[in-house]
Amino acid sequence: MSAKIKIIPFGGVRENGKNMYAVDVNGSIYILDCGLKYPENELLGIDVVIPDWNYLRENKDRIVAVFLTHGHADAIGALPYFLSEFNVPVFGSEMTIALAKLNVADEPKVKNYDDFHVVDEKTEIDFGDVVVSFFSTTHSIPESMGIVLKTDEGQIVYTGDFKFDQTAKPGYQTDYARLGAIGQAGVLAVLSDSANAENPTMNASEQEIAESIEETFNYRNGRVVVACVASNILRIQQVFDAAVKTGQKVCLTGQDLEKIVNTAMKLGKLSFDDDLLVTPEQLDSLDPAETVILQTGKMGEPIKAIQRMANKQEKTLNLQEGDLVYITTTPSHAMDTTVAQTRDMVYRAGGEVKAISDEMNSSGHAYKRDLQLMLNLLKPKYLVPIQGEYRLLNAHANAAMELGMPADHVFILAKGDVLTYDKGTMGLGEGIDVSDTMIDGIGVGDIGNIVLRDRKVLADDGIFIAVVTIDRKKKQIVAEPKITSRGFVYVKANKDLMQESGQIISKAVQNNLDNKEFDWGHLKQDVREHLSHYLFEQTHRRPVILPVIMEVNQHHRRASSKDKANTGKEQAKDVKAPAKPKAKSKPKAKGSNAPKAKAAGNKAAVTAKDGQATHKPRRNRKRRPHAAKPAETTDKQ
């Protein structure tokens, strides 16, 4: 019986990072990586972005496990959020699982999760229809692996992040023999890294990069601030080695980096002398030429941390005159503008900037010829380029076609596409809805496109708030509009604009009050439209306009004593006066002047048999003036 296979990307295609792919074999779903991506410029205020797994929620009982290729954030960053909803086992190398545990431990919902399983390149896991195995790859973090899913129709290979480097040290080396064996066994499809597919030039070896770092440290007289991704263990080791050889001390910044360094040390993936590291407090006693500051920033993202240092916003360490900022990471092309701005900030702060990528190709991803070598080793029937923006996926596709692969055997997918293999043919089936899930503070997925659009408008043109108080019964405006503006114009310098805006608001509100079919929503929309049109004519800006309409009821007051007396008289009309008692049946009371009972509203006093009044009349009170209370607030959005 032939297997029915589906390949579904939830991220990592036509974008940088957020790698997550599902392979469905006969109804069982295998998750390959579970990563995040850092926000780009238009995602204002967003911390990170993770995949949307609504489809997986609907099919959670069919998920077999999660398989991780390496320990970078683009492969494991979304795991804490995923495991808070899906209780499935997680497989990865020793280093990858150790870093995954660090991520999960920070999430309260899953801090007690313990279904982790360590595997290596010799491990095979039999799930019945699928046998999962692994192979070693070269990347900037130790124990990076590719994943193989063996099915009845052939093998599906996911390379993860990789490159080929003949000088790679143990723990970073590619198993070429294993790749050849996988290719000989028959590969149906390969999901292959495309992040560096545009680059036609060979990557520099890690040995060359290590020598460049040492040379930079050796010929620098001031402090060196190294910008590095926290989980780039290889680069951190190279920084430590260079510091030892040049007689310098290293200061680590941030708890994330310290946790990763300690974890790598325990696993034997990092080695250095005990006296190499110093605290920020000890830096003042060191000569600047003896100081190396390793800056990784929050969640391992160093560029924004360098910006804060340049702007003197860090609590302990900021840039000083003569500092060298040494960027040893290779940011994506989407970060080019941010990196350029960062360079400018550093020079304004009196420092200098040097980047490894300025002098050599230092990427941890395969360039064009490496990609073609991988295809020649695996000999796949179909190729699915992944991990990169569209132009990178297209460059990978062109590289494959140079090797003779038919164009209709290469699939450039988008998120939510369903690539289906059934009865010997592969093609696109009916897709599913897959969007992005934004993380902002502790909020997961509560920020959508509408909120982002409003944030962008607020950032560009500001906000314009108009508060009006009306009396709907009298059909009049009780209080003239009060206008507040933030980020739009300076109010004191634009009094005429504000005055005219107030008149436009009043006119729009009065027109709606005079309308027999009064509607709150129409009123607010009318104010927005008239005001937006006027403000754009005057300023060519479109601020967020927030009309706040309050209603008061000026007729509402407490009943006065006079009202109560009138009410009592109305009630007395229906009450008959008691009959006068006869002398024979009941003698008069001793007090001849005892008052007679009268029905006079609330001023009457009823006399008992002993002549004592049971209720005394209340004196008239003066009615206290009171302000009208707001009856309704209609500032809903």
Side-chain angles (χ1 to χ4, degrees):
M1 181 178 176
S2 63
K4 187 172 183 179
I5 301 170
K6 296 180 181 178
I7 299 173
I8 309 172
F10 288 86
V13 288
R14 309 191 186 199
E15 64 182 351
N16 293 296
K18 195 158 64 67
N19 299 308
M20 184 175 182
Y21 313 91
V23 179
D24 185 331
V25 182
N26 293 334
S28 297
I29 298 175
Y30 301 81
I31 304 296
L32 309 179
D33 279 341
C34 189
L36 57 76
K37 74 173 182 178
Y38 296 109
E40 296 170 359
N41 295 334
E42 67 271 14
L43 299 181
L44 300 172
I46 301 300
D47 295 329
V48 295
V49 184
I50 63 174
D52 164 33
W53 37 68
N54 275 328
Y55 174 81
L56 296 177
R57 290 189 187 99
E58 297 169 1
N59 299 275
K60 63 190 307 181
D61 295 335
R62 300 199 287 122
I63 300 175
V64 175
V66 177
F67 301 91
L68 305 175
T69 58
H70 65 288
H72 286 164
D74 63 351
I76 67 171
L79 197 61
Y81 307 103
F82 183 84
L83 294 179
S84 66
E85 297 190 48
F86 305 95
N87 187 18
V88 296
V90 178
F91 296 85
S93 67
E94 184 180 32
M95 185 68 197
T96 302
I97 292 298
L99 295 177
K101 287 181 178 179
L102 284 181
N103 276 358
V104 170
D106 293 334
E107 179 62 31
K109 293 181 181 179
V110 289
K111 62 181 180 181
N112 296 322
Y113 176 89
D114 61 354
D115 198 2
F116 290 105
H117 303 271
V118 174
V119 297
D120 58 27
E121 67 277 5
K122 299 178 182 178
T123 303
E124 281 192 355
I125 311 169
D126 192 343
F127 291 100
D129 290 341
V130 174
V131 177
V132 181
S133 59
F134 309 88
F135 58 92
S136 299
T137 58
T138 300
H139 193 43
S140 58
I141 189 169
E143 298 181 352
S144 176
M145 298 190 304
I147 302 169
V148 181
L149 277 65
K150 184 179 179 181
T151 74
D152 294 339
E153 300 297 329
Q155 298 177 103
I156 298 172
V157 178
Y158 172 45
T159 65
D161 292 3
F162 81 96
K163 69 176 181 177
F164 294 127
D165 184 356
Q166 307 304 319
T167 66
K169 295 182 179 179
Y172 296 89
Q173 294 172 343
T174 300
D175 189 343
Y176 294 93
R178 169 80 171 126
L179 286 173
I182 293 170
Q184 291 296 324
V187 175
L188 175 63
V190 59
L191 285 70
S192 184
D193 179 8
S194 309
N196 196 30
E198 276 185 324
N199 185 7
T201 309
M202 182 183 229
N203 287 329
S205 69
E206 291 301 331
Q207 182 176 341
E208 292 173 320
I209 293 174
E211 291 172 356
S212 176
I213 293 174
E214 182 182 342
E215 182 181 0
T216 300
F217 285 7
N218 200 29
Y219 293 99
R220 188 68 194 178
N221 293 325
R223 298 192 312 177
V224 180
V225 180
V226 179
C228 178
V229 176
S231 55
N232 191 338
I233 304 298
L234 177 59
R235 196 71 73 240
I236 292 173
Q237 182 68 70
Q238 291 168 338
V239 170
F240 287 171
D241 292 344
V244 170
K245 291 179 180 179
T246 56
Q248 294 170 302
K249 302 295 183 182
V250 179
C251 177
L252 305 181
T253 62
Q255 294 182 351
D256 291 339
L257 177 57
E258 291 180 6
K259 288 179 182 178
I260 291 172
V261 168
N262 290 334
T263 301
M265 280 182 60
K266 291 177 183 177
L267 298 177
K269 311 303 178 185
L270 266 179
S271 60
F272 55 90
D273 296 335
D274 294 336
D275 62 346
L276 176 65
L277 301 181
V278 295
T279 63
E281 291 74 21
Q282 294 174 310
L283 290 180
D284 293 337
S285 61
L286 295 175
D287 187 279
E290 299 176 352
T291 304
V292 174
I293 300 171
L294 190 55
Q295 177 61 274
T296 61
K298 185 179 179 182
M299 300 185 73
E301 211 292 312
I303 300 301
K304 292 182 179 178
I306 294 296
Q307 290 183 352
R308 291 194 299 272
M309 291 182 71
N311 292 329
K312 312 295 184 185
Q313 294 174 343
E314 288 288 283
K315 293 181 180 179
T316 53
L317 296 173
N318 290 301
L319 290 185
Q320 300 176 0
E321 190 80 24
D323 285 352
L324 172 68
V325 173
Y326 191 25
I327 302 176
T328 61
T329 184
T330 306
S332 67
H333 292 294
M335 294 285 289
D336 284 346
T337 301
T338 303
V339 172
Q341 292 171 345
T342 304
R343 287 173 178 260
D344 190 68
M345 292 178 187
V346 172
Y347 281 103
R348 287 175 181 270
E352 296 180 44
V353 180
K354 180 180 179 180
I356 286 182
S357 57
D358 293 340
E359 301 175 351
M360 59 185 72
N361 290 314
S362 60
S363 176
H365 301 269
Y367 81 113
K368 179 181 177 180
R369 298 304 176 200
D370 284 352
L371 296 176
Q372 290 176 327
L373 175 58
M374 178 64 81
L375 292 174
N376 282 328
L377 289 170
L378 295 178
K379 298 181 175 64
K381 186 175 181 181
Y382 297 98
L383 169 65
V384 182
I386 56 170
Q387 295 175 228
E389 295 171 346
Y390 184 87
R391 70 182 190 283
L392 299 172
L393 306 182
N394 188 64
H396 194 171
N398 291 333
M401 286 185 280
E402 286 181 9
L403 301 179
M405 181 172 283
D408 59 353
H409 282 216
V410 181
F411 295 92
I412 299 179
L413 302 181
K415 290 179 295 185
D417 283 347
V418 178
L419 188 61
T420 304
Y421 183 80
D422 191 17
K423 297 179 181 179
T425 59
M426 182 170 280
L428 286 175
E430 184 178 353
I432 61 175
D433 291 331
V434 175
S435 58
D436 289 337
T437 301
M438 319 261 180
I439 309 296
D440 186 359
I442 62 173
V444 179
D446 57 349
I447 304 297
N449 291 331
I450 294 176
V451 175
L452 288 175
R453 181 199 64 195
D454 288 344
R455 286 185 178 183
K456 190 174 187 310
V457 173
L458 287 170
D460 291 342
D461 296 325
I463 187 171
F464 193 94
I465 304 173
V467 182
V468 187
T469 305
I470 64 172
D471 187 330
R472 193 150 48 115
K473 290 184 178 180
K474 290 186 176 181
K475 294 188 176 183
Q476 66 181 20
I477 298 174
V478 176
E480 292 300 317
K482 293 183 179 180
I483 297 173
T484 304
S485 172
R486 292 291 184 273
F488 173 54
V489 294
Y490 184 51
V491 175
K492 291 183 178 179
N494 293 271
K495 292 183 179 179
D496 293 340
L497 180 71
M498 295 300 163
Q499 185 177 1
E500 184 64 27
S501 297
Q503 294 175 3
I504 291 172
I505 296 167
S506 297
K507 185 177 180 181
V509 171
Q510 191 61 54
N511 288 341
N512 278 266
L513 288 173
D514 294 338
N515 191 347
K516 292 182 179 180
E517 297 179 359
F518 181 87
D519 180 75
W520 288 106
H522 183 271
L523 168 59
K524 294 178 69 177
Q525 186 60 31
D526 210 21
V527 171
R528 285 195 192 97
E529 289 180 358
H530 285 81
L531 197 54
S532 177
H533 181 71
Y534 171 71
L535 294 178
F536 184 76
E537 278 187 346
Q538 299 298 316
T539 65
H540 287 273
R541 302 177 201 164
R542 296 189 186 277
V544 173
I545 296 174
L546 185 62
V548 180
I549 314 297
M550 301 184 66
E551 180 187 10
V552 297
N553 185 356
Q554 293 182 312
H555 304 281
H556 177 70
R557 58 187 175 84
R558 291 180 297 179
S560 65
S561 57
K562 184 177 180 181
D563 294 332
K564 291 180 181 179
N566 292 335
T567 303
K569 289 179 181 179
E570 293 295 327
Q571 293 175 347
K573 292 179 181 178
D574 299 328
V575 180
K576 293 183 180 180
K580 188 176 180 180
K582 296 180 180 179
K584 291 182 180 180
S585 60
K586 191 175 290 186
K588 289 183 180 180
K590 291 183 180 180
S592 59
N593 294 327
K596 297 180 181 180
K598 296 181 180 179
N602 59 358
K603 293 184 180 179
V606 180
T607 306
K609 293 179 181 179
D610 58 1
Q612 297 296 321
T614 60
H615 176 69
K616 295 181 180 180
R618 296 173 63 186
R619 295 181 180 177
N620 289 337
R621 299 176 185 175
K622 291 184 178 179
R623 184 165 59 88
R624 296 177 182 175
H626 59 278
K629 297 181 179 179
E632 183 180 0
T633 303
T634 60
D635 55 350
K636 296 179 182 179
Q637 292 298 308

